[in-house]
Amino acid sequence: MSRPLHRGVSGIRIPDSNHDLWDSQSKDKAEKEGLDRRGSSGLSPSPLRSPFRLLLSENSHSKYGVTDNGFPSDPFIIGTPRSRHKLVLLFLKFSLVFIVILALAGSFWWTVSISTASRGHIYHGYRRLQEQLVSDLLEIGEISYSPSRLKELEFCSQEFENYVPCFNVSDNLALGFSDGNEFDRQCSHELRQNCLVLSPANYKIPLRWPTGRDIIWVANVKITAQEVLSSGSLTKRMMMLDEEQISFRSASLMFDGVEDYSHQIAEMIGLRNESSFIQAGVRTILDIDCGYGSFGAHLFQSQLLTMCIANYEPSGSQVQLTLERGLPAMVASFTSKQLPYPSLSFDMIHCARCAIDWDRKDGILLIEVDRLLRPGGYFVWTSPLTNARDKDSHKRWKFIQGFTENLCWNMLSQQDETVVWKKTSKRKCYSSRKNSSPPPLCGGSYDVESPYYRELQNCIAGTHSSRWISVEERETWPSRDHLNKKELAIHGLQSDEFAEDFESWRAAVRNYWSLLSPLIFSDHPKRPGDEDPPPPYNMLRNVLDMNAHFGGFNSALLQAGKSVWVMNVVPVSGPNYLPLIQDRGYVGVLHDWCEAFPTYPRTYDLVHAAGLLSLESSQQHRCTMLDMFIEIDRLLRPEGWIIIRDTVPLIESARALTARLKWDARVVEIESDSDQRLLICQKPFFKKQAN
């Protein structure tokens, strides 16, 4: 591990005692002789250094001689003009001193009187200062001690192995939430856990991509054999369980597998096969209740990026298994709150037996789908309801058909249980609806860019947005990554600013990749039987960018040929560039980093944070740096990496905290004239003994 830095004291000299003592004595003797010579020559001390000479040296001679009674004559005897003149001068000097003293006393009395008059105001101001001082001292005490003096955090108990804060269904039920709202994210009622989540017994480092896409270790996730074999969504069935591993296959009893299912959807849209989705303007897909991510895993080879969302599940979690496979996913509830994505963010939304009743709440969930879809985007729904014969199911299906027509969706095709709709790309469709059919349009002032877990809205959003551009009119991937001048102007950016950001991140990724080699930690303990290879293109898979800005880090990683996907997080405390990131063809989410991120423990290989500490430190102590670091530790896989880029003081403070989290850490200088530093950390692999 990196060696600690020691600050020594330079410039201190320990002299030779005998030699310096002789020099000191000689110097004192010379000074004494010089004073004696000045005294014997009759020179009087300077009046500035000794204004009153009351005692004369024994070697000096009096000008006034000696009186008859044997006492020295007094130079200040009254009667001579010289003596009177000196008395006047002495009187003036004492008067001046008296005036100065009087002025100081008056000033002090005035200050006391003012302080007394405003004592209450000053007292309250002092209390505020005192409270702020205590807060600052706690913060300083937390981050300023040397690593050797900070106490390491304890490990959490076994019940927190798969702990996801803010999603406690039993607590939500006790608080009165029901009708599906118990699955909603509730962060305000939960206490922070200041401990480190430990890996399960028999946990193993995930296999590298692409092998890890098809095979995962059973011990790494919480799932039972019954849950593997039980019925569920289409893609949930495409898996096989053996003693230590779960393997995902494309063979299934339904539709001859996910490949044929994807091919069927492409044909229903009017395409040759799923490889043509890109040419049709499809790049990003939201998969609701994705099973275990097999639909997105198959489409990934066609350069399609699929984000899986599902409710929190204490066992057999769709999100946990999808992330373990190296595919994008997050916990999100499609019930009563808007999802934390901007409007007009996805080219396709997919729901295969997702257990969502789209006719509930007067179709408000379909309105949320419409909000997220880009103009010209597709909604794919596979459900037995579409082919049901009973009266109640037929009634529900007719309601959905009529409601989607009011949303200006066009049903392209229906085959078996699968239906494909296409959202209109023409705004005038909404004004041409019969009898002003509901739902109404949202007002022009409605914020479509920052829906951070707001209540669902019963109005059609996005029609007034400058981002209303159909999927056919957008550049196809990968050209979409480089927005044109018109698109950049929508986000308030210039071409040169955008290009400069990309070039800086290209250079940063080159530096990161060389620094991430395990060889930089020459004394880091290795896993038994493993050697340190040079960092390959697929050494990382799941990447979390905590402050994504324009998405330049994501873009640079793909340009460098790294086999990664990036969760681009835009903090709610900073400028919202998530619409820009989505328009570039990436996935991301709005998030408050003083709250827990909606995912399971041990889901990311790399956590990156550039400028996040500066951004959060500008806030009014909403949370501490340690709070954020504990959350990072929960999200990070064992032997995962953390890269923090920020100013020198904040990096030094962060470096001091890494010892409490048991991270291996090193500070790296970026450039000699830069005021920023890199903090590169690695989370050790602490093995828990099996019971």
Side-chain angles (χ1 to χ4, degrees):
M1 220 16 267
S2 57
R3 297 177 178 84
L5 300 177
H6 301 281
R7 290 185 175 88
V9 181
S10 60
I12 298 179
R13 175 176 170 265
I14 302 176
D16 181 80
S17 58
N18 294 333
H19 179 74
D20 288 359
L21 181 61
W22 184 86
D23 287 345
S24 178
Q25 290 174 345
S26 301
K27 184 176 180 181
D28 292 342
K29 183 177 180 182
E31 291 177 353
K32 183 175 182 181
E33 290 175 355
L35 289 172
D36 290 342
R37 283 195 298 271
R38 285 193 294 270
S40 62
S41 63
L43 296 174
S44 62
S46 168
L48 294 175
R49 299 179 59 145
S50 182
F52 303 111
R53 185 74 173 175
L54 300 180
L55 297 176
L56 301 176
S57 173
E58 292 180 356
N59 296 330
S60 63
H61 301 286
S62 176
K63 283 186 173 183
Y64 302 100
V66 181
T67 60
D68 294 340
N69 58 8
F71 289 95
S73 62
D74 192 344
F76 300 126
I77 295 176
I78 299 175
T80 64
R82 185 178 181 84
S83 64
R84 286 196 301 271
H85 178 67
K86 290 194 173 185
L87 281 174
V88 171
L89 289 176
L90 184 62
F91 175 76
L92 291 175
K93 290 177 181 178
F94 276 111
S95 300
L96 181 61
V97 171
F98 178 75
I99 292 171
V100 171
I101 293 174
L102 186 63
L104 290 174
S107 176
F108 176 74
W109 178 257
W110 177 80
T111 303
V112 170
S113 64
I114 292 296
S115 299
T116 304
S118 58
R119 180 174 299 171
H121 172 74
I122 293 176
Y123 174 74
H124 291 297
Y126 169 75
R127 287 298 300 272
R128 286 195 298 270
L129 288 173
Q130 188 181 45
E131 291 170 359
Q132 183 65 38
L133 177 61
V134 170
S135 175
D136 291 343
L137 286 175
L138 289 173
E139 183 78 9
I140 292 170
E142 179 183 82
I143 65 178
S144 63
Y145 287 126
S146 63
S148 61
R149 295 182 60 186
L150 289 173
K151 182 180 178 182
E152 290 186 346
L153 294 174
E154 301 293 334
F155 289 112
C156 302
S157 58
Q158 183 177 354
E159 63 183 299
F160 291 101
E161 283 180 0
N162 296 283
Y163 173 58
V164 181
C166 304
F167 292 93
N168 193 319
V169 177
S170 58
D171 284 358
N172 290 345
L173 288 171
L175 291 170
F177 294 98
S178 60
D179 195 24
N181 296 337
E182 65 271 17
F183 297 104
D184 277 348
R185 181 175 176 272
Q186 306 288 342
C187 291
S188 58
H189 308 290
E190 199 163 23
L191 297 176
R192 293 185 181 274
Q193 299 293 330
N194 289 326
C195 56
L196 304 180
V197 176
L198 196 59
S199 303
N202 302 321
Y203 180 88
K204 296 182 180 180
I205 300 299
L207 300 172
R208 282 186 179 157
W209 181 271
T211 305
R213 175 191 60 197
D214 300 323
I215 300 174
I216 65 172
W217 301 107
V218 174
N220 290 9
V221 296
K222 188 174 182 180
I223 190 170
T224 64
Q226 182 61 34
E227 287 170 333
V228 173
L229 300 175
S230 64
S231 61
S233 71
L234 166 66
T235 54
K236 266 189 176 182
R237 292 191 171 191
M238 301 174 185
M239 53 196 299
M240 298 174 62
L241 175 68
D242 62 21
E243 185 175 348
E244 289 189 337
Q245 297 176 338
I246 298 175
S247 59
F248 298 85
R249 309 296 183 191
S250 61
S252 171
L253 299 176
M254 305 178 70
F255 298 108
D256 297 322
V258 68
E259 184 175 353
D260 288 348
Y261 175 67
S262 303
H263 188 82
Q264 176 191 6
I265 294 172
E267 288 183 336
M268 294 172 70
I269 292 176
L271 305 175
R272 181 177 179 182
N273 53 44
E274 62 269 30
S275 299
S276 302
F277 278 139
I278 291 287
Q279 283 67 42
V282 177
R283 158 65 179 172
T284 55
I285 301 172
L286 182 67
D287 196 0
I288 305 169
D289 279 6
C290 63
Y292 298 131
S294 293
F295 182 65
H298 173 70
L299 295 179
F300 191 84
Q301 59 190 351
S302 299
Q303 301 186 50
L304 299 175
L305 193 58
T306 303
M307 169 64 76
C308 163
I309 61 170
N311 285 336
Y312 166 74
E313 298 164 293
S315 180
S317 167
Q318 304 171 67
V319 171
Q320 187 181 37
L321 269 77
T322 300
L323 285 164
E324 190 68 18
R325 299 181 66 185
L327 301 166
M330 62 175 282
V331 179
S333 178
F334 216 103
T335 52
S336 64
K337 301 286 178 62
Q338 290 184 337
L339 296 175
Y341 312 118
S343 299
L344 317 179
S345 288
F346 294 96
D347 306 312
M348 178 184 287
I349 295 180
H350 174 255
C351 165
R353 296 191 174 181
C354 57
I356 293 180
D357 297 327
W358 296 110
D359 57 317
R360 287 178 61 239
K361 301 181 179 180
D362 298 325
I364 197 170
L365 300 180
L366 286 171
I367 297 176
E368 176 66 359
V369 171
D370 182 85
R371 183 185 73 84
L372 296 172
L373 268 180
R374 288 194 175 99
Y378 303 94
F379 178 54
V380 181
W381 183 36
T382 298
S383 170
L385 185 67
T386 61
N387 270 339
R389 302 301 180 188
D390 63 281
K391 185 176 180 181
D392 182 64
S393 297
H394 184 72
K395 180 180 178 181
R396 293 173 60 195
W397 171 231
K398 284 298 181 182
F399 172 84
I400 292 173
Q401 285 180 302
F403 197 84
T404 54
E405 184 177 347
N406 289 342
L407 291 173
C408 286
W409 293 2
N410 177 33
M411 182 188 292
L412 296 181
S413 178
Q414 178 179 0
Q415 292 185 17
D416 301 319
E417 295 182 350
T418 302
V419 184
V420 177
W421 286 275
K422 182 178 176 65
K423 178 178 176 177
T424 185
S425 57
K426 300 178 180 179
R427 290 188 177 99
K428 64 180 182 180
C429 172
Y430 300 104
S431 59
S432 63
R433 292 180 298 174
K434 297 179 181 179
N435 301 322
S436 301
S437 302
L441 300 182
C442 297
S445 60
Y446 179 78
D447 180 15
V448 298
E449 310 292 10
S450 305
Y452 190 64
Y453 299 107
R454 294 184 308 202
E455 296 293 326
L456 290 172
Q457 303 295 312
N458 192 22
C459 61
I460 299 174
T463 58
H464 300 283
S465 173
S466 56
R467 295 175 52 239
W468 183 278
I469 303 173
S470 70
V471 295
E472 294 89 357
E473 293 175 355
R474 290 184 181 274
E475 294 285 344
T476 58
W477 181 262
S479 299
R480 184 187 290 191
D481 181 28
H482 305 286
L483 301 182
N484 57 43
K485 289 184 178 180
K486 181 180 178 181
E487 291 171 321
L488 288 174
I490 293 174
H491 302 282
L493 297 177
Q494 300 293 330
S495 298
D496 53 352
E497 181 183 5
F498 190 70
E500 182 181 353
D501 179 79
F502 173 70
E503 289 301 323
S504 66
W505 280 115
R506 273 213 313 185
V509 165
R510 286 195 298 268
N511 293 334
Y512 289 172
W513 215 254
S514 61
L515 292 171
L516 283 181
S517 170
L519 298 176
I520 140 180
F521 298 105
S522 57
D523 54 347
H524 184 339
K526 314 298 188 301
R527 299 198 306 274
D530 284 3
E531 296 180 356
D532 279 338
Y537 78 100
N538 64 343
M539 70 177 293
L540 304 172
R541 176 58 187 169
N542 298 357
V543 177
L544 176 68
D545 194 355
M546 298 178 71
N547 187 22
H549 201 51
F550 300 158
F553 181 52
N554 191 160
S555 179
L557 283 170
L558 296 186
Q559 289 285 333
K562 311 307 179 186
S563 185
V564 302
W565 72 272
V566 181
M567 177 67 85
N568 295 282
V569 181
V570 175
V572 295
S573 55
N576 181 13
Y577 288 111
L578 187 55
L580 167 65
I581 292 170
Q582 299 277 9
D583 288 351
R584 296 183 70 177
Y586 302 126
V587 293
V589 64
L590 289 169
H591 184 64
D592 182 352
W593 281 115
C594 284
E595 299 174 351
F597 193 71
T599 192
Y600 289 79
R602 303 172 302 277
T603 52
Y604 288 97
D605 302 302
L606 170 66
V607 174
H608 176 258
L612 178 67
L613 301 183
S614 295
L615 178 64
E616 292 297 336
S617 64
S618 64
Q619 307 299 312
Q620 297 299 319
H621 295 280
R622 298 187 310 124
C623 58
T624 66
M625 191 184 297
L626 181 61
D627 294 332
M628 287 193 292
F629 280 21
I630 292 174
E631 177 62 6
I632 291 174
D633 187 87
R634 186 184 72 87
L635 303 177
L636 200 63
R637 285 172 171 169
E639 297 192 358
W641 298 88
I642 308 106
I643 300 179
I644 300 175
R645 179 172 181 165
D646 228 299
T647 59
V648 174
L650 289 171
I651 289 295
E652 289 179 352
S653 300
R655 171 66 181 89
L657 283 181
T658 58
R660 299 195 65 183
L661 294 107
K662 308 175 181 29
W663 294 349
D664 301 325
R666 172 170 293 184
V667 176
V668 179
E669 186 175 293
I670 301 175
E671 296 174 357
S672 57
D673 59 343
S674 174
D675 63 343
Q676 292 193 335
R677 295 288 186 273
L678 289 179
L679 177 62
I680 300 181
C681 310
Q682 188 176 31
K683 176 182 176 179
F685 185 7
F686 294 102
K687 284 197 173 184
K688 178 182 177 181
Q689 299 298 324
N691 294 329

